[in-house]
Structures are given as structure tokens and as C-alpha cells.
Amino acid sequence: ASTETVAQTDDGIRRRDFLDIAAIGAAGVGGVFIVYPLVSQMAPSKDVLAASSTEVDVSSIEPGQAIKAVFRKQPLFVKRLTDAEIAAANATATGSLRDPQSLEDRTKEGHRDILVTMGVCTHLGCVPLGAAEGEVKGEYGGYFCPCHGSHYDTAGRIRKGPAPTNLEVPEYEFTSDTVIQVG
Ligand code: FES
């Protein structure tokens, strides 16, 4: 009689294990279906992101100064270059650069002194220094990323350090002589 009891208990345990596993499996699968719609509702759709744009009035930016704005929830730097900064950018042989772009490639005709870049280091996404008054600009006079030491020149091009590419120039246009619309 005692042997029979053990056998029944064993069978009972195996059954419960199986039921537990089945229940966890069902919860897991259900979880995917329940969580996915919530996540997709929270994240802005691509259409919403594409539609968002930022206007910046550049008239108050003095030569050598930059202002920080926000574009698509990320820092945006808008700088008015001095003649010396323009000359420094143009004195560099574009072909020698890691990410070969001229100042002309990165600015608009008639507004070569206005440099619009994302304030996001292309290495791992830190915000470079140099846009605010008194911040270190790095060895090439533009922006400096303190996270791992990337140096960007006066045209926002990568010159030294681990960042692979220049600071991104977002899509933008001048809607008047003094106002740019980014995005
Ligand atoms: Fe800028 Fe690494 S994130 S150098």
C-alpha cells in the first residue's frame, strides 16, 4: 500500500510541474501581446518625429558665440563663426579629414558663418562642450567631448579622438535672413 502512495504522489508532483510550466509559458506569451501595444503607444511614431521642427532666430548670436536649442528632444548647437574660425575651417585640406566635408558642405550659401549641428558626440552620444560661454573648445577650436576626448574643429568636424564622424548637420533652411527652421 505504501508503494502505491509514493507512486501517486510522484505522479501528482509531475502533473503540478507540468501545469506550472504551462501556466508560465502562457503568461509569457500573453505578456508579449499585452506589453507590445503599450510600448508602441508610448513611443512617438516616425510620422510625429518627422513632422517636428525647431525654429531658431540667429540674429542675436554674436560672432564666436553659439546657442543651444533642442531638436527632436536632442541638443542642437547654432553658432555664428568668426572670420578667423571660417578661415581655420577653410585652411584644412578636406581630403585629409576622417570624415571629409568642407565648411561649404556643412553650411548654407550666403550664410557660411552660421554652423548648425546636433550637440551629440558621434562616438557614444555625450553632449560636447564649447557651445556655452567659457566652455573648453578643444584643440581645434570647435567643440570638445569630455567623455572620451573627441575634438571637433570650427566646422564641427572630427579631428582627434574616438568619434567616427563629424557632428551631424541636420536638415534645415533659412526661412528669412535671420531665422532657420530645422527639420
Ligand atoms: Fe564623445 Fe565618447 S561620447 S568621445
Side-chain angles (χ1 to χ4, degrees), residues 120-128 144-152 161-163:
V120 179
C121 181
T122 60
H123 180 222
L124 292 175
C126 288
V127 180
F144 170 68
C145 183
C147 288
H148 314 95
S150 284
H151 298 253
Y152 297 91

Side-chain angles (χ1 to χ4, degrees), residues 53-137:
S53 63
T54 298
E55 269 198 359
V56 179
D57 183 347
V58 301
S59 61
S60 60
I61 308 173
E62 295 292 327
Q65 279 188 345
I67 59 169
K68 291 182 184 179
V70 176
F71 174 55
R72 293 180 186 165
K73 297 186 179 170
Q74 297 203 299
L76 177 80
F77 294 166
V78 183
K79 184 171 183 181
R80 187 183 297 279
L81 302 174
T82 63
D83 289 345
E85 286 169 335
I86 292 171
N90 287 332
T92 306
T94 305
S96 68
L97 298 173
R98 185 180 302 173
D99 182 5
Q101 281 189 318
S102 65
L103 181 65
E104 204 166 293
D105 295 330
R106 295 173 59 74
T107 54
K108 301 287 187 200
E109 193 174 355
H111 301 277
R112 296 296 178 207
D113 59 334
I114 298 294
L115 178 70
V116 182
T117 63
M118 298 309 297
V120 179
C121 181
T122 60
H123 180 222
L124 292 175
C126 288
V127 180
L129 300 173
E133 193 74 29
E135 281 183 353
V136 58
K137 296 180 190 307

